C-alpha cells in the first residue's frame, strides 16, 4: 500500500496540478499541497472556489502541524459526504439564505395563511375505536423512527432525554416505554392478522455526537428493553459547518484553528440519513407501508399512534401529521394552509417563531392570538409524522433527503453586516412536505392534548414563567399529564376516579390525579382497556396503581392507597374488593435543592413510599386479589 505522502504526490500529479497554480492566490495552502492525498486536493480546490481561502491563511510551513492539517481534511471529508450535494451545495445554499435574511425576505412571501381542516378525533367514540383497530392492523407494516439527536438545551438536563423517567411511580424511562409500546403493537398486530408473531417492527433511533454513546449504553445495559438488538438501528447525524459572515465563510473553531466549528443541523437530517442508509429500500422490499417519526420526550404519544395510523390507512394519506389544540405563543408550530398568489396551496407547519410575523404581515394585526375557543385557530404540530413509504421513497429519490433549510443569524446591528456569533443552516423534519407535488395527499389528525401531547422541554425556571393557561412543557407537567390521561381513560372505561387536587411544584400549578400507570401490553387501545375494566371500581385521589401485566382486570377494586400488580402473561388476575394502606405521599422538592438528584429536582416532587401492597403473579392460571 502506498504511504500517505506517496498517495498525496500521486494524487497531485494525477490531477495535473503538481505546480498547484490553482492555489496561487493562497500561498500557505500551495506550500502544503504535497502533503495532501488526491481527494484532499480536490476538496481544497473546491474550498478555494467557494471563497474559503481564509481556512488556510494561517497554515505554517510544511513540517509544522502536518498531522493537524491532515486532521482538518478528515473533517472536511466528513462534512462533505454527510450533506446532500456536499459542501459546495452547503456553501451555496448558505450564501442564498444569508442574502435573503439580510434583505429581510419573508420565506412565506406571496402566501396567505388560513386555517386548514383535518381529521378531528374524539377519544373513545366508535370512530376512534374502529380507527385504533385499523391502526393496530397496519402496525406490522410500519417502521418507527425516533429523532433523538437534540441536546435538550432548554431543559438543561445533563443526561440524554430518553433516559429520563417518563413517570417516577415506576421510574421507567422514555426509551423503555417507547420500545415496550412498539413491541406491544407488534404483538397485537401479528395476533390480529394471525401471522404467528413473525413480523418485527424496525425501530430507528437518530442520534448525534451529543447523544450517541449514551443512547447505545442505555440500550445495551438494559438488554434493549426486550427488543431484539437487530431490530434497533442507530443512525448518527453529523453536525454542519458554522458560517462566520454573510459571504458564508466557514467559521474556524476558536479553540482549534485546524477545525471548522460545527453545530447541529436540526431534526430534518433524519430524511437524508434514512435515504442514504438503504433502510427505506430494505423496508420496501419487506413490503412495509408506513414510517412513523416521533420525538424524544412525549410520554403520551403512544395513546395517539393506533388511531392516527388508522387515519393514514383509511384516508390513504401520504403524509399525516399529528396535531393538538394550540395555545397562542405556545412553542409548537401551527399547521397552516398556505395559498400563494399564483394559486398554489400547501398544508404545512409554520414554526412557532414564524407564525406571528406571517399573520401580522397578512392582515391579522393581533398576530398569533387565541380565538373565541381560547385556543389558536391553527392546530399545533406535535411532530409525530406518519409517511406512506412508497411515495416517500419516490420523493427522496429526487431530493436525496435534502429538506428546505433556514438560517437564523443574530446580527450585531441593523446594518446586518456582522453576526454576534457564528450561525449555520438548519432544517426541520416536518418541512418534508414542502417539496411535494400538489397531487400528494397531505393531511393531519387533531387529538385532545390531554391524550396525546406532554413533552419535557423546559427547565423549571422557564416553565414557571410560561403565561398562565399555557402548557409548561416541563418535567413536572410531563409526568402529571400521564396520571391525568390514565385517570381520564379509566374514567371513560367506567371506573370511578377521584377528582384531582391542584398543587404547585417549582412554581407551576398542576392538577394532581391518582398516580395510575400501566405497561403498554395492558392497555394499547381503548377497546383493550374497556374490556379490562368491569364492575364498579374506584380509585381515590391519594392512590397509586401500577398495572404490570397483560391479563389484569379491575372488577370492583376499591383502591385507597398504593397497589402494585405484576403478573406474567399467562396469569389472569382479577382485582376486586377494597385495598387500603397508607400509600405514597407526595413531597415537594425545590429545583435548587442540590441534595436531591437532578432527575427529581426538575420535577419538583418525589414520593415517600410509606406503605403499599405489591403482588406478584408468576404462575399461569386464574387469580383473584381480594383483601
Ligand atoms: O439536530 C437535532 C435537533 C433536534 N433533534 C430532535 O428533534 C426533536 C425535537 O427537538 P426540539 O424538542 O428541540 O424541537 P422544538 O421544541 O424546537 O420543536 C419541534 O417540536 C415541537 C413539538 O414538540 C413542534 O412540533 C415544533 O413544530 C417542532 O419543530 C427532539 O426529539 C430532538 O432530540 C434531533 O434529533 N437533532
Amino acid at each position: 500500500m502506498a504511504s500517505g505522502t506517496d498517495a498525496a504526490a500521486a494524487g497531485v500529479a494525477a490531477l495535473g496540478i503538481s505546480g498547484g497554480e490553482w492555489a496561487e492566490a493562497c500561498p500557505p495552502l500551495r506550500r502544503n499541497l504535497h502533503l495532501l492525498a488526491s481527494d484532499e486536493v480536490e476538496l481544497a480546490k473546491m474550498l478555494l472556489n467557494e471563497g474559503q481561502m481564509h481556512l488556510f491563511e494561517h497554515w505554517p510551513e510544511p513540517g509544522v502541524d502536518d498531522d493537524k492539517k491532515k486532521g482538518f481534511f478528515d473533517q472536511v471529508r466528513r462534512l462533505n459526504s454527510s450533506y446532500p450535494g456536499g459542501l459546495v451545495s452547503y456553501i451555496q445554499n448558505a450564501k442564498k439564505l444569508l442574502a435573503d435574511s439580510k434583505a429581510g425576505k419573508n420565506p412565506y412571501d406571496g402566501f396567505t395563511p388560513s386555517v386548514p381542516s383535518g381529521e378531528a378525533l374524539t377519544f373513545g367514540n366508535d370512530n376512534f375505536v374502529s380507527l385504533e383497530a385499523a391502526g393496530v392492523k397496519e402496525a406490522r407494516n410500519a417502521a418507527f423512527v425516533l429523532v433523538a439527536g437534540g441536546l435538550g438545551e432548554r431543559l438543561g438536563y445533563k443526561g440524554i432525554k430518553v433516559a429520563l423517567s417518563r413517570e417516577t411511580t415506576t421510574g421507567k424511562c422514555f426509551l423503555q416505554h417507547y420500545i415496550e409500546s412498539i413491541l406491544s403493537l407488534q404483538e397485537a398486530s401479528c395476533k390480529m392478522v394471525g401471522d404467528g408473531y413473525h413480523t418485527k417492527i424496525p425501530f430507528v433511533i437518530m442520534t448525534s455526537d451529543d447523544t450517541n454513546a449514551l443512547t447505545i449504553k442505555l440500550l445495551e445495559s438494559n438488554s434493549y428493553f426486550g427488543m431484539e438488538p437487530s431490530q434497533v438501528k442507530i443512525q448518527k447525524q453529523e453536525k454542519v459547518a458554522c458560517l462566520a459572515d454573510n459571504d458564508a465563510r466557514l467559521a474556524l473553531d476558536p479553540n482549534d484553528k485546524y477545525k471548522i466549528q460545527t453545530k447541529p443541523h436540526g431534526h430534518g437530517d433524519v430524511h437524508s440519513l434514512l435515504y442514504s442508509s438503504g433502510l427505506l429500500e430494505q423496508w420496501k422490499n419487506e413490503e412495509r407501508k408506513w414510517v412513523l417519526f416521533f420525538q424524544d420526550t412525549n410520554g403520551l404519544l403512544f395513546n395517539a399512534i393506533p388511531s392516527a395510523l388508522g387515519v393514514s390507512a383509511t384516508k390513504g394519506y401520504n403524509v399525516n401529521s399529528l396535531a393538538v389544540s394550540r395555545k397562542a405563543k405556545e412553542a409548537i408550530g401551527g399547521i397552516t394552509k398556505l395559498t400563494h398568489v399564483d394559486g398554489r396551496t400547501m398544508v404545512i407547519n409554520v414554526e412557532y417563531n414564524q407564525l406571528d410575523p406571517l399573520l401580522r404581515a397578512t392582515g391579522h394585526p393581533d398576530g398569533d392570538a387565541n380565538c373565541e375557543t381560547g385556543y389558536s385557530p391553527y392546530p399545533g404540530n406535535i411532530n409525530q409524522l406518519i409517511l406512506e413509504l412508497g411515495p416517500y421513497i419516490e420523493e427522496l429519490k429526487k431530493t436525496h433527503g435534502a429538506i428546505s433549510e433556514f438560517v437564523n443569524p443574530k446580527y450585531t446591528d441593523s446594518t446586518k453586516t456582522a453576526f454576534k456569533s457564528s450561525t449555520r443552516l438548519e432544517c426541520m423534519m416536518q418541512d418534508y412536505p414542502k417539496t411535494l407535488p400538489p397531487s400528494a395527499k397531505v393531511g393531519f389528525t387533531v387529538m385532545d392534548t390531554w391524550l396525546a401531547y406532554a413533552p419535557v422541554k423546559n427547565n423549571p425556571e422557564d416553565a414557571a414563567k410560561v403565561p398562565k393557561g399555557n402548557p409548561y412543557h416541563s418535567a413536572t407537567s410531563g409526568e402529571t399529564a400521564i396520571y391525568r390521561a390514565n385517570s381520564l381513560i379509566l374514567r371513560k372505561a367506567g371506573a370511578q376516579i377521584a377528582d384531582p387536587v391542584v398543587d404547585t411544584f417549582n412554581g407551576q400549578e398542576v392538577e394532581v390525579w391518582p398516580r395510575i400507570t400501566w405497561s403498554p401490553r395492558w392497555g394499547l387501545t381503548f377497546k383493550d382497556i374497556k374490556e379490562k375494566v368491569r364492575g364498579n371500581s374506584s380509585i381515590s385521589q391519594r392512590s397509586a396503581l401500577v398495572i404490570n401485566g397483560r391479563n389484569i382486570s379491575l372488577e370492583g377494586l376499591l383502591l385507597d392507597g398504593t397497589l402494585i400488580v405484576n403478573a406474567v402473561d399467562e396469569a389472569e388476575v382479577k382485582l376486586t374488593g377494597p385495598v387500603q394502606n397508607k400509600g405514597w405521599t407526595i413531597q415537594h422538592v425545590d429545583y435548587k435543592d442540590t441534595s436531591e438528584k437532578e432527575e427529581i429536582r426538575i420535577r419538583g416532587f418525589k414520593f415517600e413510599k410509606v406503605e403499599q401492597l405489591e403482588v406478584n403473579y408468576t404462575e399461569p392460571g386464574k387469580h383473584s386479589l381480594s383483601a
Side-chain angles (χ1 to χ4, degrees), residues 32-52:
N32 281 283
L33 274 186
H34 65 282
L35 298 175
L36 308 185
S38 56
D39 72 318
E40 294 170 343
V41 169
E42 254 182 276
L43 290 169
K45 212 171 179 185
M46 173 273 291
L47 288 171
L48 290 202
N49 276 339
E50 296 304 321
Q52 305 295 331

Side-chain angles (χ1 to χ4, degrees), residues 147-150 154 161 206 237 264-267 294-297 331-333 349 351-352 381-383 428 430 453 455 457:
V147 291
R154 277 183 284 158
K161 288 171 81 181
M206 182 173 81
Q237 64 177 144
H265 188 222
H267 36 73
F294 64 111
Q295 302 196 150
D296 48 20
T297 60
I332 62 179
N349 171 72
E351 197 57 340
Y352 45 89
N381 161 50
I382 62 169
N383 250 9
M428 301 190 293
Q430 67 269 35
Y453 187 57
K457 303 205 190 206

Side-chain angles (χ1 to χ4, degrees), residues 549-612:
R550 197 215 307 249
N551 291 314
I552 299 170
S553 56
L554 274 59
E555 298 201 32
L557 171 72
L558 307 170
L559 178 62
D560 183 35
T562 294
L563 172 63
I564 300 168
V565 188
N566 303 306
V568 293
D569 277 358
E570 302 75 26
E572 233 177 85
V573 181
K574 271 189 208 171
L575 306 177
T576 56
V579 172
Q580 193 165 31
N581 54 49
K582 293 198 181 85
W584 295 2
T585 59
I586 299 178
Q587 311 286 310
H588 287 76
V589 173
D590 190 285
Y591 71 94
K592 294 191 204 99
D593 179 357
T594 48
S595 66
E596 296 288 349
K597 284 203 283 193
E598 192 184 12
E599 151 98 28
I600 295 296
R601 286 160 54 198
I602 57 174
R603 284 164 212 273
F605 60 83
K606 64 177 182 181
F607 299 118
E608 192 186 338
K609 301 181 179 179
V610 185
E611 194 186 3
Q612 69 200 41

Side-chain angles (χ1 to χ4, degrees), residues 470-482:
N470 273 26
Y472 300 116
H473 296 175
S474 67
T476 312
S477 61
E479 176 160 358
T480 51
I482 286 162

Side-chain angles (χ1 to χ4, degrees), residues 6 20 103 112 144 160 169 179 197 217 223 231 243 272 297 348 382 386 418 430 462 517 533 535 565 588:
D6 288 350
T112 308
F144 281 82
I160 49 169
T169 298
I179 287 182
Y197 304 113
K217 189 169 164 218
S223 309
Q231 246 175 296
L243 307 157
S272 61
T297 60
I348 194 86
I382 62 169
I386 305 178
Q430 67 269 35
D462 291 343
T517 75
V533 177
V565 188
H588 287 76

Side-chain angles (χ1 to χ4, degrees), residues 60-97:
E61 295 301 312
V64 182
D65 289 346
D66 288 353
D67 286 353
K68 290 185 177 171
K69 292 169 193 164
K70 297 294 276 180
F72 170 82
F73 274 102
D74 286 343
Q75 186 196 18
V76 170
R77 197 180 285 117
R78 272 199 313 278
L79 290 171
N80 192 49
S81 64
S82 59
Y83 186 83
L87 269 173
V88 174
S89 297
Y90 182 75
I91 295 164
Q92 288 174 1
N93 292 342
K95 282 184 185 159
K96 188 177 171 308
L97 287 166

